[in-house]
Amino acid sequence: MTRKERAANLLKKYKHGWVFSYLPIYLLWFFYLEKHVTKNYIVLHAAIDDKIPFIEYFIIPYLSWFVFIAAVFLYFFFADVEGFYKLARLMFAGMTVFLIVSTLIPNGVHLRPSIFVRDNVFVDMVRMLYWADTPTNVMPSIHVYNSLAACIAICHSKRLQEHKVVCFCAYCLAALIILSTLFLKQHSMIDVITAFVMAYALYHVFYVPERHRYLKERRVKTALLSSK
């Protein structure tokens, strides 16, 4: 097989890679908002936000989000094309809703500490995060939403469900990532709750109907077999 033929076979096998063309659109829109939403935005705040302490150690799970989401996406890309499409629809739909909300209702938080009581490498990492990421465009939290979307995809993967330890570790990491958005003062509880609501709503759009069809077909097959 020639190099050209191998390349053609790879393109045919991974033709679903066109889905990633959404990412440049998302990033351009997001960075536009980051640059232009700097004042005159709605400040999100809940009473519980004041009771949540700042814990710099949560910078580790917060940053691990990027690896977690990429790993889940790539797993489904190479191992489960149907699951990949469903995950992409769920995740990208939520990300688009986030962009629209941030555009129409500019929002942000004023939760970040002005003074750090400790000085360590984790605090230094948080300082870098604050420098790189503005406290605007926070609702719903994409860190939370995409973590939930990844867990939904994992939960619906028959192959991954055979590896209980992997699933358990993924769910635990997602939980720590969600908590990190609060303990690092990156998000208000409002952002977290709206991310959960959006994940619940879009889950019923992209996953539940197919689940119902599967259960219905299974009942029909069972009935046919029992009638013989």
Side-chain angles (χ1 to χ4, degrees):
M1 184 180 294
T2 65
R3 181 179 301 178
K4 186 176 181 179
E5 289 173 333
R6 286 197 297 270
N9 286 337
L10 284 174
L11 287 174
K12 183 178 180 180
K13 183 178 181 180
Y14 299 117
K15 59 184 179 182
H16 49 291
W18 69 269
V19 169
F20 291 115
S21 61
Y22 171 82
L23 295 180
I25 299 172
Y26 172 82
L27 291 173
L28 286 172
W29 193 344
F30 174 77
F31 285 120
Y32 172 84
L33 292 172
E34 285 285 281
K35 184 176 180 180
H36 291 85
V37 180
T38 57
K39 56 184 179 179
N40 299 324
Y41 55 81
I42 297 173
V43 178
L44 302 172
H45 182 268
I48 194 174
D49 295 334
D50 299 327
K51 300 183 183 299
I52 300 173
F54 170 81
I55 303 177
E56 68 270 23
Y57 306 111
F58 274 91
I59 189 66
I60 300 302
Y62 187 88
L63 295 179
S64 71
W65 175 84
F66 297 95
V67 177
F68 176 55
I69 298 302
V72 173
F73 240 122
L74 290 176
Y75 169 80
F76 282 96
F77 178 80
F78 289 108
D80 182 356
V81 175
E82 183 181 354
F84 171 78
Y85 275 122
K86 287 192 290 186
L87 172 60
R89 286 194 292 268
L90 177 65
M91 200 171 284
F92 293 167
M95 291 162 67
T96 302
V97 171
F98 157 76
L99 291 172
I100 293 172
V101 170
S102 297
T103 301
L104 299 180
I105 312 173
N107 56 83
V109 293
H110 290 170
L111 299 173
R112 295 176 174 181
S114 55
I115 299 175
F116 296 99
V117 297
R118 292 178 293 274
D119 189 15
N120 53 49
V121 65
F122 302 103
V123 169
D124 291 339
M125 293 170 69
V126 174
R127 287 194 181 101
M128 292 179 64
L129 171 65
Y130 287 177
W131 174 80
D133 187 21
T134 69
T136 59
N137 310 311
V138 295
M139 183 187 75
S141 167
I142 288 301
H143 253 67
V144 173
Y145 177 80
N146 281 358
S147 297
L148 293 172
C151 288
I152 289 171
I154 291 170
C155 183
H156 281 261
S157 170
K158 293 180 180 179
R159 185 179 298 180
L160 284 177
Q161 286 304 307
E162 295 175 357
H163 304 280
K164 299 299 182 182
V165 174
V166 173
C167 294
F168 177 76
C169 291
Y171 300 150
C172 287
L173 178 57
L176 288 172
I177 290 170
I178 292 170
L179 290 174
S180 74
T181 65
L182 296 169
F183 285 114
L184 292 182
K185 300 299 180 177
Q186 280 288 89
H187 287 279
S188 165
M189 182 63 75
I190 296 171
D191 312 329
V192 174
I193 291 174
T194 52
F196 269 87
V197 171
M198 184 167 69
Y200 178 80
L202 293 179
Y203 165 72
H204 279 76
V205 172
F206 295 112
Y207 279 84
V208 171
E210 183 173 330
R211 177 67 175 172
H212 286 169
R213 285 195 299 270
Y214 169 76
L215 293 175
K216 183 178 180 180
E217 291 173 359
R218 188 174 179 179
R219 285 196 297 268
V220 170
K221 290 180 180 178
T222 302
L224 290 174
L225 290 173
S226 61
S227 63
K228 291 183 179 179

